[in-house]
C-alpha cells in the first residue's frame, strides 16, 4: 500500500530544487543487469520527475546528470551516458515546447564532446524564450571546478582588481548562471549522505533530503514527499528564531 503524501502548501514551495540522481548502477546490479540498463531507466525517471516538477509549479530544477569525476568510468559507460544525454535533449524538446520549459546548462562546457555541445546549444537556443520552469542540466559539472572557473572569469574581466576587496557577490556574479536563485532544496537518491561536489557555493544553505530509493524507481510521489518534508523545516540561515 502506497504511503499517503501530506498536503503540500503552495506558499511554502521551494523555488529551486536540485537533484543528485544516484543509484542507476546499483539498480542494475540488484537485477543482474548491465550498468547501462540502469542509466537507461534513470533517464526515464528524470523525465518523470521533470514532468512532475513542472506540474507542481517548481520554478527551477537542476539535474546532476554527469560530474567532472564521471570521466573516470569506462569509455563504454561514458559513451552510453553521452548518448542518453543526446537522446534526452532530443526526445524532451516537444515536452519543453508544450510546457514552455527553458533548458539551460551548468558545467565545464568546452570539456564536453562537440556533438553534445551542439545538442545543448541547439536546445538552449530553441527554448530560451520560454517562461515556464527552467531545467538546468549539470553536465561535466563540479562545484569546485565552477568556483575555479568563476575566479578565472573574474580575473580575466578585472585584470587590475585588488583581491583584498573581492566579495561574495563578485564570485557569485561570475558563476555559470548568476541569475538563478540558490537551491532551496537538494535531493539525493540512493541513501548516500554527501553532496558529491554539487552546487557547493549555491547550496551553502540548502535543505537536504536523502532518500534510500534508487533513482530509477523515482516517481512523482517521491518528489512530493521530499517537498512535504522541506515544508516542515525552519530555515534560519544561521540566525536564531526569537520566542514571542
Amino acid at each position: 500500500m502506497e504511503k499517503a503524501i501530506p498536503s503540500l502548501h503552495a506558499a511554502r514551495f521551494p523555488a529551486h530544487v536540485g537533484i543528485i540522481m544516484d543509484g542507476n548502477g546499483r539498480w542494475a546490479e540488484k537485477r543482474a543487469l548491465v550498468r547501462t540498463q540502469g542509466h537507461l531507466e534513470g533517464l526515464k525517471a528524470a523525465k518523470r520527475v521533470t514532468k512532475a516538477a513542472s506540474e507542481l509549479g517548481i520554478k527551477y530544477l537542476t539535474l546532476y546528470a554527469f560530474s567532472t569525476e564521471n570521466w573516470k568510468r569506462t569509455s563504454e559507460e561514458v559513451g552510453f551516458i553521452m548518448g542518453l544525454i543526446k537522446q534526452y535533449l532530443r526526445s524532451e524538446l516537444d515536452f519543453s515546447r508544450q510546457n514552455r520549459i527553458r533548458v539551460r546548462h551548468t558545467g565545464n562546457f568546452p570539456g564536453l564532446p562537440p556533438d553534445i555541445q551542439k545538442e545543448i546549444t541547439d536546445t538552449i537556443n530553441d527554448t530560451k524564450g520560454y517562461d515556464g520552469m527552467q531545467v538546468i542540466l549539470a553536465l561535466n559539472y563540479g562545484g569546485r571546478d565552477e568556483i575555479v572557473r568563476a575566479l578565472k572569469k573574474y580575473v580575466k574581466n578585472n585584470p587590475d582588481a585588488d583581491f583584498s576587496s573581492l566579495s561574495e557577490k563578485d564570485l557569485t556574479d561570475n558563476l555559470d548562471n548568476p541569475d538563478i536563485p540558490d537551491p532551496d532544496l537538494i535531493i539525493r537518491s540512493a541513501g548516500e549522505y554527501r553532496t558529491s561536489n554539487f552546487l557547493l557555493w549555491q547550496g551553502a544553505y540548502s535543505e537536504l533530503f536523502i532518500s534510500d530509493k534508487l533513482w530509477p524507481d523515482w516517481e512523482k510521489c517521491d518528489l512530493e514527499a521530499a517537498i512535504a518534508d522541506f515544508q516542515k523545516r525552519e530555515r534560519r540561515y544561521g540566525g536564531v528564531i526569537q520566542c514571542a
Side-chain angles (χ1 to χ4, degrees):
M1 183 177 178
E2 190 172 300
K3 185 178 179 181
I5 303 299
S7 297
L8 300 177
H9 305 286
R12 298 198 63 198
F13 257 69
H16 182 182
V17 175
I19 305 181
I20 303 171
M21 304 179 293
D22 193 21
N24 293 341
R26 277 172 280 172
W27 185 93
E29 290 165 5
K30 284 179 64 176
R31 292 161 177 78
L33 300 171
V34 292
R35 287 178 59 85
T36 50
Q37 187 63 37
H39 293 306
L40 180 59
E41 294 302 318
L43 173 64
K44 295 177 183 177
K47 292 180 179 181
R48 290 194 299 269
V49 172
T50 298
K51 183 174 185 293
S54 179
E55 292 172 347
L56 289 169
I58 300 298
K59 294 179 181 178
Y60 304 90
L61 177 69
T62 299
L63 299 175
Y64 201 10
F66 191 87
S67 76
T68 50
E69 291 73 38
N70 286 156
W71 297 107
K72 299 173 184 176
R73 299 183 181 186
T74 66
S75 58
E76 291 79 11
E77 185 173 355
V78 169
F80 187 84
I81 293 172
M82 289 296 150
L84 285 181
I85 290 168
K86 185 183 294 187
Q87 177 186 329
Y88 174 87
L89 290 167
R90 290 180 176 177
S91 65
E92 291 302 285
L93 191 53
D94 284 342
F95 175 76
S96 296
R97 288 170 177 158
Q98 292 165 8
N99 294 276
R100 301 189 61 79
I101 291 175
R102 180 182 176 186
V103 179
R104 302 177 68 171
H105 172 261
T106 184
N108 194 323
F109 189 76
L112 287 165
D115 60 328
I116 301 299
Q117 290 185 37
K118 183 180 185 306
E119 290 291 340
I120 293 171
T121 299
D122 289 348
T123 301
I124 288 172
N125 289 336
D126 194 272
T127 64
K128 64 182 179 182
Y130 293 159
D131 57 2
M133 180 176 73
Q134 297 191 26
V135 175
I136 303 94
L137 298 177
L139 297 169
N140 196 25
Y141 179 84
R144 291 179 175 179
D145 178 72
E146 183 182 18
I147 293 169
V148 169
R149 288 187 290 105
L151 285 170
K152 288 181 177 179
K153 184 178 176 182
Y154 175 79
V155 170
K156 181 179 179 180
N157 294 334
N158 304 274
D160 300 320
D162 177 4
F163 273 89
S164 65
S165 62
L166 181 69
S167 67
E168 288 187 11
K169 185 178 185 302
D170 291 329
L171 196 146
T172 298
D173 288 345
N174 286 280
L175 294 174
D176 292 342
N177 297 294
D179 60 309
I180 293 176
D182 292 342
D184 302 292
L185 171 64
I186 292 179
I187 297 168
R188 179 161 191 156
S189 58
E192 299 292 350
Y193 286 79
R194 58 179 178 271
T195 56
S196 293
N197 206 12
F198 180 58
L199 299 179
L200 297 182
W201 182 268
Q202 302 91 328
Y205 283 100
S206 301
E207 298 295 326
L208 303 178
F209 180 85
I210 309 298
S211 168
D212 288 333
K213 200 168 187 179
L214 301 177
W215 178 247
D217 292 326
W218 267 61
E219 303 282 351
K220 181 179 182 179
C221 62
D222 298 297
L223 179 61
E224 290 174 333
I227 294 172
D229 184 82
F230 168 83
Q231 293 186 341
K232 294 185 291 186
R233 311 280 182 91
E234 291 183 348
R235 307 191 73 197
R236 297 188 293 275
Y237 300 95
V240 177
I241 295 178
Q242 300 294 332
C243 296

